[in-house]
Amino acid sequence: MGIEIGGSIEKVNGKEISYNEFVERYLAKNQPVVLTGLMDDWKACKDWVFDSGKPNLKFFSTHFGNSKVQVADCGTREFTDQKRVEMTVSEFIDHWIDAKECGGASNSFQEGSWTPLHADVFRSYSWSANVCGKKKWLFLPPSQCHLVFDRGFKSCVYNIFDDVSETNFPGFKKAIWLECSQEQNEIIFVPSGWYHQVHNMEDTISINHNWFNAYNLSWVLDLLSKDYKEAKEYIEDIRDICDDFEGLCQRNLAANTGMNFSDFFIFLSRFFSANILQLYCQLREDGISVWSSSKMAKHLVFNLASIRRIALKLMGMGVVAGNHGFFLDLMEMLDDPNFLKLFIDVGRAYGKIHEQQNCSCDTKKAWMVEFLDYSSHIRNPEDFVKFIDYSVAKLGATFCEEKHLLSGLNNWPLFEDQ
């Protein structure tokens, strides 16, 4: 069965576009793009690749040989994905070389290997940087994704180039795909909720990363809500005999989706705390108002507004309650090295984005000075929203910015251009 190609993905020189332009044109609009010119000075592009453009497999065996990795067998389907086996990098390289000598290609990254149709985990954003090789991408925008599911919206097409059953997938023929050829040293941005299938046209090595931020938190929440409903419906018939029905729903949600509402809340609370503390440090060191200070400060306020918006949605949904809410000790979080690393990474990332020096604020001192009189425990969405409002009001009062900060939290469009 053939597929209809309706267009291609835009390619842009990454050196000629600013972060704010990238946000406005692609991130905020949830549109894919290929970025060129950003990998010229990457060490991987020199160490991992021969001058011929072929992968330097010996380098991987020498430097990463004992590391264990998951390898996909592209010729064998296992449930909704490809069968995966664990092996060391050295074993994988040996297998790769043997397969090439025998004229075959069945594993990840080799010419002819491929990834089945899917949307990325948690409906996250992702980027994929081709260190060497060439990939062909087929994209389907979120507005058409229902077309690749069966009538019950339970099963998705596995391979768009198979003879897809019109009986099982009645809408598949109506799908209009975007096609993209990704060359060596190009980076592709994959937005939230875009289903895609990828084929390696040559031996390929790529670096991939998934993430979510203030712009796509709503995609994560929508996925959790949908999967929670399905998890609940699946075991509804045992509700009356189950001692902890909601707990079972949350455990099944975590098993099927990779996290549950409690996990999401803990992430949100940490993300909020890292951003509010960074904002405190920025305002304290700059000594001027948010509106006349750095783009970084405005970016942080945008993040706070996004988190509050999601927290209000969660509060209205009422899916996390009672013993199945979450418990977070704020002072204990502050002593957690992982949180301190998050705080530092947020400052470093936004400092680089906005070409601004990272502040040197003592996070624990900042927290104790500004927020010590607030209860240190958060147990549910209502507590979290109250903590957000309290923190922003406290920060605003300290720097005579309360009116502006509260306005920023309640007027989302003010920050959509940041």
Side-chain angles (χ1 to χ4, degrees), residues 35-90:
L35 300 171
T36 65
L38 297 179
M39 299 175 63
D40 297 343
D41 59 351
W42 284 25
K43 197 169 185 294
C45 295
K46 300 177 178 62
D47 292 344
W48 298 4
V49 187
F50 290 119
D51 291 340
S52 64
K54 298 295 183 182
N56 184 350
L57 302 181
K58 185 177 179 180
F59 181 91
F60 284 89
S61 290
T62 301
H63 291 81
F64 312 112
N66 293 327
S67 299
K68 291 185 177 181
V69 292
Q70 293 285 318
V71 178
D73 179 354
C74 298
T76 305
R77 180 174 179 175
E78 192 170 75
F79 302 107
T80 61
D81 201 355
Q82 294 164 339
K83 182 180 179 181
R84 296 178 186 272
V85 295
E86 186 179 88
M87 61 180 70
T88 66
V89 170
S90 288

Short mmCIF file of all heavy atoms in Angstrom, two decimals, residues 35-90:
data_model
loop_
_atom_site.label_atom_id
_atom_site.label_comp_id
_atom_site.label_asym_id
_atom_site.label_seq_id
_atom_site.Cartn_x
_atom_site.Cartn_y
_atom_site.Cartn_z
N LEU A 35 17.87 21.52 11.41
CA LEU A 35 18.84 22.57 11.64
C LEU A 35 20.21 22.15 11.12
O LEU A 35 20.69 21.06 11.45
CB LEU A 35 18.93 22.90 13.13
CG LEU A 35 17.62 23.37 13.79
CD1 LEU A 35 17.78 23.46 15.30
CD2 LEU A 35 17.19 24.72 13.23
N THR A 36 20.80 22.98 10.34
CA THR A 36 22.13 22.71 9.79
C THR A 36 23.15 23.66 10.43
O THR A 36 22.79 24.66 11.03
CB THR A 36 22.15 22.89 8.26
OG1 THR A 36 21.90 24.27 7.95
CG2 THR A 36 21.07 22.04 7.60
N GLY A 37 24.43 23.30 10.31
CA GLY A 37 25.50 24.21 10.71
C GLY A 37 25.82 24.25 12.19
O GLY A 37 26.66 25.05 12.61
N LEU A 38 25.18 23.41 13.00
CA LEU A 38 25.38 23.47 14.45
C LEU A 38 26.35 22.41 14.97
O LEU A 38 26.70 22.41 16.15
CB LEU A 38 24.04 23.34 15.19
CG LEU A 38 23.02 24.45 14.95
CD1 LEU A 38 21.74 24.17 15.73
CD2 LEU A 38 23.59 25.81 15.34
N MET A 39 26.77 21.50 14.10
CA MET A 39 27.60 20.38 14.56
C MET A 39 29.05 20.48 14.09
O MET A 39 29.83 19.55 14.29
CB MET A 39 26.99 19.05 14.09
CG MET A 39 25.59 18.79 14.61
SD MET A 39 24.85 17.29 13.91
CE MET A 39 25.96 16.02 14.50
N ASP A 40 29.41 21.61 13.49
CA ASP A 40 30.74 21.74 12.87
C ASP A 40 31.88 21.51 13.86
O ASP A 40 32.93 20.97 13.48
CB ASP A 40 30.87 23.12 12.23
CG ASP A 40 29.88 23.32 11.09
OD1 ASP A 40 29.33 22.31 10.62
OD2 ASP A 40 29.65 24.48 10.70
N ASP A 41 31.70 21.92 15.11
CA ASP A 41 32.80 21.80 16.08
C ASP A 41 32.56 20.70 17.10
O ASP A 41 33.20 20.66 18.14
CB ASP A 41 33.00 23.14 16.80
CG ASP A 41 31.74 23.61 17.52
OD1 ASP A 41 30.67 22.99 17.32
OD2 ASP A 41 31.83 24.59 18.29
N TRP A 42 31.62 19.78 16.80
CA TRP A 42 31.37 18.67 17.72
C TRP A 42 32.54 17.68 17.67
O TRP A 42 32.95 17.24 16.59
CB TRP A 42 30.08 17.95 17.35
CG TRP A 42 28.83 18.67 17.75
CD1 TRP A 42 28.68 20.01 17.95
CD2 TRP A 42 27.55 18.08 17.98
NE1 TRP A 42 27.38 20.30 18.28
CE2 TRP A 42 26.67 19.13 18.31
CE3 TRP A 42 27.05 16.78 17.92
CZ2 TRP A 42 25.31 18.91 18.59
CZ3 TRP A 42 25.72 16.56 18.20
CH2 TRP A 42 24.85 17.61 18.54
N LYS A 43 33.03 17.31 18.84
CA LYS A 43 34.14 16.36 18.92
C LYS A 43 33.73 15.00 18.34
O LYS A 43 34.54 14.31 17.70
CB LYS A 43 34.59 16.20 20.37
CG LYS A 43 35.97 15.59 20.57
CD LYS A 43 36.41 15.73 22.01
CE LYS A 43 37.85 15.24 22.19
NZ LYS A 43 37.98 13.80 21.97
N ALA A 44 32.47 14.62 18.56
CA ALA A 44 31.98 13.33 18.06
C ALA A 44 32.09 13.25 16.55
O ALA A 44 32.33 12.17 15.99
CB ALA A 44 30.54 13.11 18.50
N CYS A 45 31.91 14.39 15.86
CA CYS A 45 31.96 14.39 14.40
C CYS A 45 33.36 14.12 13.87
O CYS A 45 33.53 13.81 12.68
CB CYS A 45 31.43 15.72 13.86
SG CYS A 45 29.68 16.00 14.23
N LYS A 46 34.36 14.25 14.72
CA LYS A 46 35.74 13.97 14.33
C LYS A 46 36.18 12.59 14.83
O LYS A 46 36.76 11.81 14.09
CB LYS A 46 36.67 15.06 14.88
CG LYS A 46 36.34 16.46 14.37
CD LYS A 46 37.25 17.49 15.00
CE LYS A 46 36.97 18.90 14.46
NZ LYS A 46 35.61 19.36 14.76
N ASP A 47 35.88 12.30 16.11
CA ASP A 47 36.35 11.05 16.71
C ASP A 47 35.58 9.83 16.21
O ASP A 47 36.14 8.73 16.12
CB ASP A 47 36.23 11.12 18.23
CG ASP A 47 37.19 12.13 18.85
OD1 ASP A 47 38.14 12.53 18.15
OD2 ASP A 47 36.99 12.50 20.01
N TRP A 48 34.31 9.99 15.92
CA TRP A 48 33.46 8.84 15.62
C TRP A 48 33.37 8.52 14.14
O TRP A 48 32.76 7.52 13.77
CB TRP A 48 32.04 9.09 16.13
CG TRP A 48 31.91 9.28 17.61
CD1 TRP A 48 32.92 9.33 18.53
CD2 TRP A 48 30.70 9.46 18.34
NE1 TRP A 48 32.43 9.53 19.78
CE2 TRP A 48 31.06 9.62 19.70
CE3 TRP A 48 29.36 9.50 17.99
CZ2 TRP A 48 30.12 9.82 20.71
CZ3 TRP A 48 28.41 9.70 18.98
CH2 TRP A 48 28.80 9.85 20.33
N VAL A 49 33.98 9.37 13.30
CA VAL A 49 33.76 9.25 11.86
C VAL A 49 35.09 9.34 11.10
O VAL A 49 35.93 10.19 11.40
CB VAL A 49 32.81 10.37 11.36
CG1 VAL A 49 32.44 10.14 9.90
CG2 VAL A 49 31.56 10.45 12.22
N PHE A 50 35.26 8.47 10.12
CA PHE A 50 36.41 8.57 9.22
C PHE A 50 36.20 9.73 8.24
O PHE A 50 35.08 10.22 8.07
CB PHE A 50 36.59 7.26 8.45
CG PHE A 50 37.06 6.11 9.28
CD1 PHE A 50 36.29 4.95 9.41
CD2 PHE A 50 38.29 6.16 9.94
CE1 PHE A 50 36.72 3.88 10.17
CE2 PHE A 50 38.73 5.08 10.69
CZ PHE A 50 37.95 3.95 10.82
N ASP A 51 37.27 10.13 7.60
CA ASP A 51 37.18 11.20 6.61
C ASP A 51 36.23 10.83 5.48
O ASP A 51 35.65 11.71 4.82
CB ASP A 51 38.57 11.51 6.03
CG ASP A 51 39.49 12.16 7.06
OD1 ASP A 51 38.97 12.70 8.05
OD2 ASP A 51 40.72 12.10 6.85
N SER A 52 36.06 9.53 5.26
CA SER A 52 35.15 9.05 4.21
C SER A 52 33.68 9.23 4.57
O SER A 52 32.81 9.06 3.72
CB SER A 52 35.42 7.57 3.93
OG SER A 52 35.12 6.79 5.09
N GLY A 53 33.41 9.58 5.84
CA GLY A 53 32.03 9.70 6.30
C GLY A 53 31.48 8.43 6.90
O GLY A 53 30.34 8.41 7.39
N LYS A 54 32.28 7.34 6.90
CA LYS A 54 31.85 6.07 7.47
C LYS A 54 32.13 6.06 8.98
O LYS A 54 33.09 6.69 9.45
CB LYS A 54 32.59 4.91 6.81
CG LYS A 54 32.31 4.78 5.32
CD LYS A 54 30.85 4.45 5.05
CE LYS A 54 30.61 4.25 3.56
NZ LYS A 54 29.16 3.96 3.28
N PRO A 55 31.33 5.34 9.76
CA PRO A 55 31.54 5.30 11.22
C PRO A 55 32.83 4.59 11.61
O PRO A 55 33.18 3.55 11.04
CB PRO A 55 30.31 4.54 11.73
CG PRO A 55 29.82 3.74 10.57
CD PRO A 55 30.14 4.56 9.35
N ASN A 56 33.51 5.14 12.59
CA ASN A 56 34.75 4.55 13.11
C ASN A 56 34.36 3.56 14.22
O ASN A 56 34.36 3.90 15.40
CB ASN A 56 35.66 5.65 13.65
CG ASN A 56 37.00 5.12 14.13
OD1 ASN A 56 37.21 3.91 14.24
ND2 ASN A 56 37.92 6.01 14.43
N LEU A 57 34.04 2.35 13.84
CA LEU A 57 33.53 1.36 14.78
C LEU A 57 34.58 0.98 15.83
O LEU A 57 34.25 0.71 16.99
CB LEU A 57 33.05 0.12 14.03
CG LEU A 57 31.95 0.37 12.98
CD1 LEU A 57 31.55 -0.94 12.32
CD2 LEU A 57 30.74 1.04 13.61
N LYS A 58 35.84 0.98 15.45
CA LYS A 58 36.90 0.62 16.39
C LYS A 58 36.95 1.60 17.56
O LYS A 58 37.25 1.22 18.70
CB LYS A 58 38.25 0.57 15.67
CG LYS A 58 39.39 0.09 16.55
CD LYS A 58 40.70 -0.01 15.77
CE LYS A 58 41.85 -0.48 16.69
NZ LYS A 58 43.14 -0.57 15.96
N PHE A 59 36.68 2.87 17.26
CA PHE A 59 36.68 3.88 18.33
C PHE A 59 35.67 3.51 19.42
O PHE A 59 35.95 3.62 20.61
CB PHE A 59 36.35 5.25 17.75
CG PHE A 59 36.35 6.36 18.77
CD1 PHE A 59 37.50 7.08 19.03
CD2 PHE A 59 35.19 6.68 19.49
CE1 PHE A 59 37.51 8.10 19.98
CE2 PHE A 59 35.18 7.69 20.43
CZ PHE A 59 36.35 8.40 20.68
N PHE A 60 34.49 3.05 19.00
CA PHE A 60 33.46 2.69 19.97
C PHE A 60 33.86 1.46 20.77
O PHE A 60 33.65 1.41 21.99
CB PHE A 60 32.13 2.43 19.24
CG PHE A 60 31.45 3.69 18.80
CD1 PHE A 60 31.71 4.25 17.57
CD2 PHE A 60 30.55 4.34 19.64
CE1 PHE A 60 31.11 5.42 17.17
CE2 PHE A 60 29.93 5.51 19.25
CZ PHE A 60 30.21 6.05 18.01
N SER A 61 34.45 0.48 20.11
CA SER A 61 34.90 -0.72 20.83
C SER A 61 35.99 -0.38 21.84
O SER A 61 36.01 -0.91 22.95
CB SER A 61 35.43 -1.75 19.83
OG SER A 61 34.40 -2.30 19.06
N THR A 62 36.87 0.52 21.46
CA THR A 62 38.00 0.88 22.34
C THR A 62 37.55 1.70 23.54
O THR A 62 37.99 1.46 24.67
CB THR A 62 39.06 1.67 21.55
OG1 THR A 62 39.53 0.87 20.45
CG2 THR A 62 40.23 2.04 22.44
N HIS A 63 36.66 2.67 23.33
CA HIS A 63 36.31 3.62 24.38
C HIS A 63 35.04 3.24 25.15
O HIS A 63 34.88 3.64 26.30
CB HIS A 63 36.13 5.02 23.77
CG HIS A 63 37.40 5.63 23.30
ND1 HIS A 63 37.96 5.33 22.07
CD2 HIS A 63 38.23 6.53 23.89
CE1 HIS A 63 39.08 6.02 21.92
NE2 HIS A 63 39.28 6.75 23.00
N PHE A 64 34.14 2.49 24.53
CA PHE A 64 32.86 2.17 25.18
C PHE A 64 32.56 0.68 25.16
O PHE A 64 31.43 0.26 25.41
CB PHE A 64 31.71 2.92 24.49
CG PHE A 64 31.96 4.38 24.26
CD1 PHE A 64 32.11 4.87 22.98
CD2 PHE A 64 32.05 5.26 25.33
CE1 PHE A 64 32.35 6.22 22.75
CE2 PHE A 64 32.28 6.61 25.12
CZ PHE A 64 32.43 7.10 23.84
N GLY A 65 33.56 -0.13 24.88
CA GLY A 65 33.35 -1.56 24.61
C GLY A 65 32.60 -2.32 25.68
O GLY A 65 31.79 -3.21 25.37
N ASN A 66 32.81 -1.99 26.96
CA ASN A 66 32.19 -2.76 28.04
C ASN A 66 30.80 -2.25 28.44
O ASN A 66 30.11 -2.87 29.26
CB ASN A 66 33.10 -2.75 29.28
CG ASN A 66 34.39 -3.52 29.04
OD1 ASN A 66 34.42 -4.51 28.31
ND2 ASN A 66 35.49 -3.06 29.65
N SER A 67 30.41 -1.12 27.90
CA SER A 67 29.09 -0.57 28.22
C SER A 67 28.00 -1.45 27.63
O SER A 67 28.12 -1.94 26.50
CB SER A 67 28.95 0.85 27.67
OG SER A 67 29.93 1.71 28.24
N LYS A 68 26.93 -1.65 28.40
CA LYS A 68 25.82 -2.47 27.92
C LYS A 68 24.75 -1.58 27.30
O LYS A 68 24.43 -0.52 27.82
CB LYS A 68 25.23 -3.30 29.07
CG LYS A 68 26.17 -4.39 29.56
CD LYS A 68 25.51 -5.27 30.60
CE LYS A 68 26.44 -6.40 31.02
NZ LYS A 68 25.82 -7.30 32.03
N VAL A 69 24.19 -2.04 26.19
CA VAL A 69 23.20 -1.26 25.45
C VAL A 69 22.05 -2.16 25.01
O VAL A 69 22.18 -3.38 24.94
CB VAL A 69 23.83 -0.59 24.21
CG1 VAL A 69 24.82 0.48 24.62
CG2 VAL A 69 24.50 -1.63 23.31
N GLN A 70 20.91 -1.54 24.72
CA GLN A 70 19.77 -2.24 24.14
C GLN A 70 19.88 -2.16 22.63
O GLN A 70 20.08 -1.08 22.07
CB GLN A 70 18.47 -1.59 24.60
CG GLN A 70 18.17 -1.74 26.09
CD GLN A 70 17.71 -3.15 26.41
OE1 GLN A 70 16.92 -3.75 25.68
NE2 GLN A 70 18.20 -3.67 27.52
N VAL A 71 19.76 -3.29 21.98
CA VAL A 71 19.87 -3.35 20.53
C VAL A 71 18.56 -3.90 19.96
O VAL A 71 18.06 -4.93 20.41
CB VAL A 71 21.05 -4.26 20.10
CG1 VAL A 71 21.11 -4.36 18.57
CG2 VAL A 71 22.36 -3.70 20.65
N ALA A 72 18.03 -3.21 18.96
CA ALA A 72 16.77 -3.62 18.35
C ALA A 72 17.03 -4.56 17.18
O ALA A 72 17.91 -4.31 16.35
CB ALA A 72 16.00 -2.39 17.87
N ASP A 73 16.26 -5.64 17.14
CA ASP A 73 16.26 -6.54 15.99
C ASP A 73 15.15 -6.06 15.06
O ASP A 73 13.97 -6.32 15.29
CB ASP A 73 16.00 -7.98 16.45
CG ASP A 73 15.96 -8.97 15.29
OD1 ASP A 73 16.02 -8.53 14.13
OD2 ASP A 73 15.87 -10.18 15.56
N CYS A 74 15.53 -5.33 14.01
CA CYS A 74 14.54 -4.67 13.16
C CYS A 74 13.69 -5.64 12.36
O CYS A 74 12.67 -5.26 11.78
CB CYS A 74 15.24 -3.69 12.22
SG CYS A 74 16.10 -2.36 13.09
N GLY A 75 14.10 -6.89 12.31
CA GLY A 75 13.34 -7.88 11.55
C GLY A 75 12.34 -8.66 12.37
O GLY A 75 11.61 -9.50 11.83
N THR A 76 12.30 -8.40 13.69
CA THR A 76 11.42 -9.17 14.56
C THR A 76 10.54 -8.25 15.40
O THR A 76 11.04 -7.43 16.17
CB THR A 76 12.23 -10.08 15.50
OG1 THR A 76 13.11 -10.90 14.73
CG2 THR A 76 11.31 -10.96 16.34
N ARG A 77 9.22 -8.39 15.25
CA ARG A 77 8.29 -7.59 16.03
C ARG A 77 7.99 -8.26 17.35
O ARG A 77 7.82 -9.49 17.41
CB ARG A 77 6.99 -7.38 15.25
CG ARG A 77 5.96 -6.54 16.01
CD ARG A 77 4.74 -6.24 15.16
NE ARG A 77 3.75 -5.47 15.89
CZ ARG A 77 2.63 -4.98 15.37
NH1 ARG A 77 2.36 -5.20 14.08
NH2 ARG A 77 1.78 -4.28 16.11
N GLU A 78 7.94 -7.48 18.40
CA GLU A 78 7.59 -7.98 19.72
C GLU A 78 6.56 -7.02 20.33
O GLU A 78 6.90 -5.91 20.73
CB GLU A 78 8.82 -8.09 20.62
CG GLU A 78 8.58 -8.86 21.91
CD GLU A 78 9.88 -9.15 22.63
OE1 GLU A 78 10.44 -8.20 23.24
OE2 GLU A 78 10.33 -10.32 22.59
N PHE A 79 5.30 -7.43 20.35
CA PHE A 79 4.18 -6.59 20.76
C PHE A 79 4.09 -5.37 19.83
O PHE A 79 3.93 -5.54 18.64
CB PHE A 79 4.30 -6.18 22.24
CG PHE A 79 4.37 -7.36 23.17
CD1 PHE A 79 5.56 -7.71 23.80
CD2 PHE A 79 3.25 -8.15 23.38
CE1 PHE A 79 5.63 -8.81 24.64
CE2 PHE A 79 3.30 -9.26 24.23
CZ PHE A 79 4.49 -9.59 24.85
N THR A 80 4.24 -4.15 20.35
CA THR A 80 4.11 -2.96 19.51
C THR A 80 5.46 -2.39 19.07
O THR A 80 5.51 -1.31 18.49
CB THR A 80 3.32 -1.87 20.25
OG1 THR A 80 4.02 -1.51 21.44
CG2 THR A 80 1.93 -2.35 20.60
N ASP A 81 6.54 -3.09 19.37
CA ASP A 81 7.87 -2.57 19.06
C ASP A 81 8.72 -3.68 18.48
O ASP A 81 8.25 -4.80 18.26
CB ASP A 81 8.52 -2.01 20.34
CG ASP A 81 9.63 -1.01 20.05
OD1 ASP A 81 9.98 -0.83 18.88
OD2 ASP A 81 10.16 -0.44 21.02
N GLN A 82 9.97 -3.38 18.22
CA GLN A 82 10.91 -4.39 17.75
C GLN A 82 11.52 -5.14 18.93
O GLN A 82 11.67 -4.58 20.01
CB GLN A 82 12.02 -3.71 16.93
CG GLN A 82 11.50 -3.10 15.63
CD GLN A 82 12.48 -2.11 15.02
OE1 GLN A 82 13.34 -1.58 15.71
NE2 GLN A 82 12.34 -1.85 13.73
N LYS A 83 11.85 -6.39 18.71
CA LYS A 83 12.48 -7.19 19.75
C LYS A 83 13.83 -6.58 20.11
O LYS A 83 14.59 -6.15 19.24
CB LYS A 83 12.69 -8.62 19.26
CG LYS A 83 13.31 -9.54 20.30
CD LYS A 83 13.48 -10.95 19.77
CE LYS A 83 14.12 -11.85 20.82
NZ LYS A 83 14.32 -13.24 20.31
N ARG A 84 14.10 -6.51 21.40
CA ARG A 84 15.36 -5.91 21.87
C ARG A 84 16.15 -6.91 22.70
O ARG A 84 15.58 -7.69 23.45
CB ARG A 84 15.07 -4.65 22.68
CG ARG A 84 14.41 -3.57 21.84
CD ARG A 84 14.06 -2.32 22.64
NE ARG A 84 13.31 -1.39 21.82
CZ ARG A 84 13.86 -0.46 21.04
NH1 ARG A 84 15.18 -0.34 21.01
NH2 ARG A 84 13.13 0.35 20.32
N VAL A 85 17.46 -6.85 22.53
CA VAL A 85 18.36 -7.69 23.32
C VAL A 85 19.45 -6.80 23.90
O VAL A 85 19.76 -5.74 23.37
CB VAL A 85 19.00 -8.80 22.46
CG1 VAL A 85 17.94 -9.77 21.96
CG2 VAL A 85 19.76 -8.21 21.28
N GLU A 86 19.99 -7.23 25.02
CA GLU A 86 21.06 -6.47 25.66
C GLU A 86 22.41 -7.10 25.32
O GLU A 86 22.57 -8.32 25.37
CB GLU A 86 20.87 -6.43 27.18
CG GLU A 86 21.87 -5.54 27.90
CD GLU A 86 21.65 -5.49 29.39
OE1 GLU A 86 22.22 -6.37 30.08
OE2 GLU A 86 20.91 -4.61 29.87
N MET A 87 23.37 -6.26 24.98
CA MET A 87 24.73 -6.73 24.72
C MET A 87 25.70 -5.60 24.98
O MET A 87 25.30 -4.45 25.14
CB MET A 87 24.85 -7.24 23.27
CG MET A 87 24.58 -6.22 22.20
SD MET A 87 24.76 -6.90 20.51
CE MET A 87 23.34 -7.98 20.39
N THR A 88 26.98 -5.91 25.04
CA THR A 88 27.98 -4.87 25.21
C THR A 88 28.20 -4.16 23.87
O THR A 88 27.86 -4.71 22.81
CB THR A 88 29.32 -5.42 25.70
OG1 THR A 88 29.87 -6.26 24.68
CG2 THR A 88 29.15 -6.19 27.01
N VAL A 89 28.77 -2.97 23.93
CA VAL A 89 29.06 -2.25 22.69
C VAL A 89 30.01 -3.06 21.81
O VAL A 89 29.83 -3.12 20.58
CB VAL A 89 29.66 -0.86 23.02
CG1 VAL A 89 30.20 -0.19 21.75
CG2 VAL A 89 28.62 0.03 23.69
N SER A 90 30.99 -3.70 22.42
CA SER A 90 31.93 -4.53 21.64
C SER A 90 31.20 -5.65 20.91
O SER A 90 31.48 -5.94 19.73
CB SER A 90 33.02 -5.11 22.54
OG SER A 90 33.92 -4.12 22.96
#
